[in-house]
Amino acid sequence: MEYSQHFLYPSSFFASREPYVVKTVLGSCVAVCLWDKKLHFGGINHYMLPTWMGTDLASPKYGNIAIEKLIEKMKFMGSRIEDLQAKVFGGGELIKGIDGGPSSTQIGERNIQIAKLLLEANNIPVIASCVGGNRGRKILFFTDTGEVRHKYLEKRQF
């Protein structure tokens, strides 16, 4: 099958009833893939920070905004919550602390937690995930099947 392609930049989301392969690259960011098992289409987001605190624009840069916006888009396109399932990727801790250990901000872990919390609150089951660790990931999301292919990125020495 010939797929249209879309590269998903950070702080954005994408959903389509047409077959697309959506590519993105994740470090501490998280991508939530939603797939409608009845209508056979899907959407994906890519957020950088866990929670919008109301101090700047409410953008999909924040997990709580990105997940709600993606759910709204899927519903607008005809999905019912009970037909949605999720796959979650990313949330690596790539930034080292001053002492060379993990960063005290734990952005990746906090990004993972907001995905789990909001999907559970919306009764959307997480059927697959690959989160955490200390390496980035490249993912390909197929909107017509819900399939996600991912591979770890090689660590680079600086």
Side-chain angles (χ1 to χ4, degrees):
M1 170 179 251
E2 192 69 29
Y3 282 92
S4 296
Q5 295 191 21
H6 180 80
F7 184 82
L8 188 68
Y9 289 96
S11 305
S12 61
F13 64 97
F14 178 87
S16 178
R17 284 180 160 272
E18 302 301 317
Y20 268 85
V21 59
V22 184
K23 300 176 184 181
T24 198
V25 178
L26 304 165
S28 61
C29 297
V30 163
V32 173
C33 305
L34 293 182
W35 193 67
D36 186 312
K37 62 188 179 195
K38 292 264 170 65
L39 299 177
H40 301 277
F41 78 94
I44 179 175
N45 62 29
H46 178 158
Y47 61 89
M48 301 168 67
L49 297 168
T51 310
W52 178 64
M53 301 300 223
T55 55
D56 54 357
L57 291 176
S59 86
K61 170 182 179 179
Y62 302 98
N64 60 332
I65 304 296
I67 293 166
E68 291 300 329
K69 292 279 187 199
L70 182 57
I71 292 169
E72 286 172 18
K73 178 77 170 178
M74 296 290 289
K75 286 167 59 177
F76 178 78
M77 295 173 73
S79 292
R80 298 179 321 154
I81 286 286
E82 56 268 24
D83 296 331
L84 295 178
Q85 53 191 31
K87 295 181 181 179
V88 181
F89 297 87
E93 295 296 342
L94 279 59
I95 300 170
K96 299 268 187 235
I98 295 170
D99 60 359
S103 169
S104 61
T105 60
Q106 295 186 311
I107 296 291
E109 184 58 34
R110 291 172 36 221
N111 280 340
I112 295 164
Q113 290 306 315
I114 197 71
K116 289 178 180 177
L117 283 169
L118 289 176
L119 292 168
E120 184 178 316
N122 282 282
N123 296 313
I124 299 172
V126 176
I127 63 164
S129 68
C130 181
V131 294
N134 60 4
R135 293 168 66 189
R137 297 164 172 84
K138 176 180 177 180
I139 68 168
L140 305 176
F141 173 59
F142 295 80
T143 61
D144 61 332
T145 64
E147 176 188 359
V148 177
R149 296 180 190 166
H150 89 286
K151 72 174 191 175
Y152 288 105
L153 300 176
E154 294 302 316
K155 283 183 133 182
R156 294 205 173 107
Q157 298 298 322
F158 293 101

